[in-house]
Each structure stands twice: as C-alpha cells, then as structure tokens.
C-alpha cells in the first residue's frame, strides 16, 4: 500500500468506523460506520470482527492491494490515564534537550515498572517547572538547579492489544499505532 494512503480503524463505545485516507490529497477514499447497539463499555470483539470482515475486502478491492498496516483509534473508557510528577537535579550549568530526554526516559521506565500490563499510547507533558516557575513549553539554555515535569500517560491494556491483534491477524494486518481518540480530538 502506498505510504500516502493510510487505513484507520476507530473504536468508540457507540460506533466502529473504518477509513481509507489519502494523505497526498487530504481526502477520504472510503468510510464505513456502524452503530454499536450493545452499550457496554467493553469492546464486542465478535461484532468488531464481523464489521471488519465486511469492510477489509472492500477496501482492498478498491485500492487493488492488501492492507498491511492500520492505525487504531480508541475512544472509550478502557484507556488508562495516569498523571505523574517527576523532579530531577540538573548537574549541568544550563538545561538542555538531553536533560529533558533523560527525565522522560526515567518517567517512562517508572510507568512501565508500576503498570506492567499496560502499553503506552501517549506521553503528554502537561507542564515544565524551571526555577520553580511553570512553563507550557520547554526552554533550552536556562540556568536552573532542577527540572520538574507534570506528565500524563494514556495507555491501553495488553489484554486489549492481544485481542485486537488476534482479530486483525485474520486479515494479515498489523497495528501500526494505537491512538487515544479523545486526546487527538481535544488536541
């Protein structure tokens, strides 16, 4: 499949949607939506499989190629959101991107250690604290003894990943990226 054409599967509590999007022309080539009658918070994997069965082959016929990868957009309450604050001493004279990268790696490691059954979808820096002052953007080359961050992790359970990958495996499709639909919509 062309790098310019992406397939998206969107799963929310009240509907499932599949899109074929042409990035070069910024337009949808295909869109199918089905309402979910079962208002449970859980994903109905059998219903999802039936939905995919009806649409994957239609899309592949439309583009004349097999879909190999798909972006999965999830908008439901099964996404875990965890806020984390972390503060590190700055041993350099000035703050730089290396300081930021190191603290982000440590935050990610802390999350993975405490939530081993979750996969990180998004790591969102809410605030930077430099010289005890809150900033919305990171500023390089400021003199500060400490760098502190307020971070939000959005994650999905490994069980859900396994179930979704198992369904898409029937069509030889791999999930390229998991995306929190509510975060993207508000972004």
């Amino acid at each position: 499949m062309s790098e310019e054409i992406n397939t998206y599967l969107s799963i929310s509590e009240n509907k499932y949607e599949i899109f074929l999007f042409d990035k070069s022309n910024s337009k949808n080539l295909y869109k199918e939506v089905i309402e979910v009658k079962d208002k449970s918070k859980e994903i109905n994997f059998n219903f999802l499989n039936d939905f995919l069965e009806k649409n994957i082959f239609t899309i592949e016929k439309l583009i004349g190629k097999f879909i190999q990868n798909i972006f999965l957009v999830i908008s439901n309450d099964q996404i875990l959101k965890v806020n984390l604050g972390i503060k590190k001493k700055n041993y350099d004279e000035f703050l730089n991107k290396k300081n930021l990268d190191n603290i982000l790696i440590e935050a990610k490691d802390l999350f993975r250690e405490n939530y081993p059954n979750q996969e990180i979808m998004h790591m969102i820096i809410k605030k930077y604290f430099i010289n005890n002052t809150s900033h919305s953007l990171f500023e390089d080359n400021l003199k500060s003894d400490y760098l502190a961050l307020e971070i939000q992790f959005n994650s999905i359970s490994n069980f859900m990943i396994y179930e979704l990958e198992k369904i898409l495996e029937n069509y030889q499709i791999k999930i390229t990226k998991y995306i929190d639909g509510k975060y993207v919509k508000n972004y």
Side-chain angles (χ1 to χ4, degrees), residues 48-108:
L48 177 61
N49 189 49
D50 292 344
F51 174 71
L52 290 172
E53 190 172 316
K54 293 175 186 168
N55 289 283
I56 294 295
F57 299 118
T58 303
I59 291 172
E60 290 177 338
K61 189 174 180 181
L62 176 71
I63 61 174
K65 296 180 183 179
F66 292 112
I67 299 171
Q68 295 176 332
N69 300 300
I70 198 163
F71 291 90
L72 187 62
V73 181
I74 301 174
S75 303
N76 70 18
D77 291 338
Q78 292 181 304
I79 294 174
L80 177 67
K81 295 179 192 288
V82 174
N83 292 313
L84 174 87
I86 189 165
K87 181 178 181 179
K88 295 298 287 182
K89 181 158 179 55
N90 177 29
Y91 294 102
D92 298 330
E93 187 175 350
F94 297 98
L95 290 175
N96 56 42
K97 189 172 177 338
K98 181 181 165 202
N99 302 112
L100 179 61
D101 289 344
N102 288 338
I103 199 169
L104 290 173
I105 289 168
E106 188 171 330
K108 207 183 286 189

Side-chain angles (χ1 to χ4, degrees), residues 1-25:
M1 182 158 43
S2 167
E3 292 294 319
E4 296 298 316
I5 298 177
N6 291 327
T7 307
Y8 295 86
L9 173 62
S10 176
I11 299 172
S12 67
E13 292 166 350
N14 57 356
K15 64 184 170 185
Y16 300 154
E17 301 173 85
I18 192 162
F19 303 90
L20 187 63
F21 186 74
D22 183 350
K23 289 190 324 185
S24 61
N25 296 319

Side-chain angles (χ1 to χ4, degrees), residues 40 68 71 80 82 85 108 126 130 141 144 152 155 161 173:
S40 163
Q68 295 176 332
F71 291 90
L80 177 67
V82 174
K108 207 183 286 189
K126 296 291 196 173
I130 302 168
N141 299 318
S144 180
Q152 179 181 319
S155 66
I161 288 172
I173 298 173

Side-chain angles (χ1 to χ4, degrees), residues 11 13 41 43 72-82 118-122 152-157 160 178-183:
I11 299 172
E13 292 166 350
K41 302 272 186 203
I43 295 173
L72 187 62
V73 181
I74 301 174
S75 303
N76 70 18
D77 291 338
Q78 292 181 304
I79 294 174
L80 177 67
K81 295 179 192 288
V82 174
Q118 294 284 319
E119 184 66 33
I120 298 170
M121 298 168 74
H122 303 281
Q152 179 181 319
F153 288 91
N154 296 0
S155 66
I156 184 174
S157 74
M160 187 184 295
Y178 293 90
I179 303 166
D180 179 350
K182 292 178 183 177
Y183 166 68

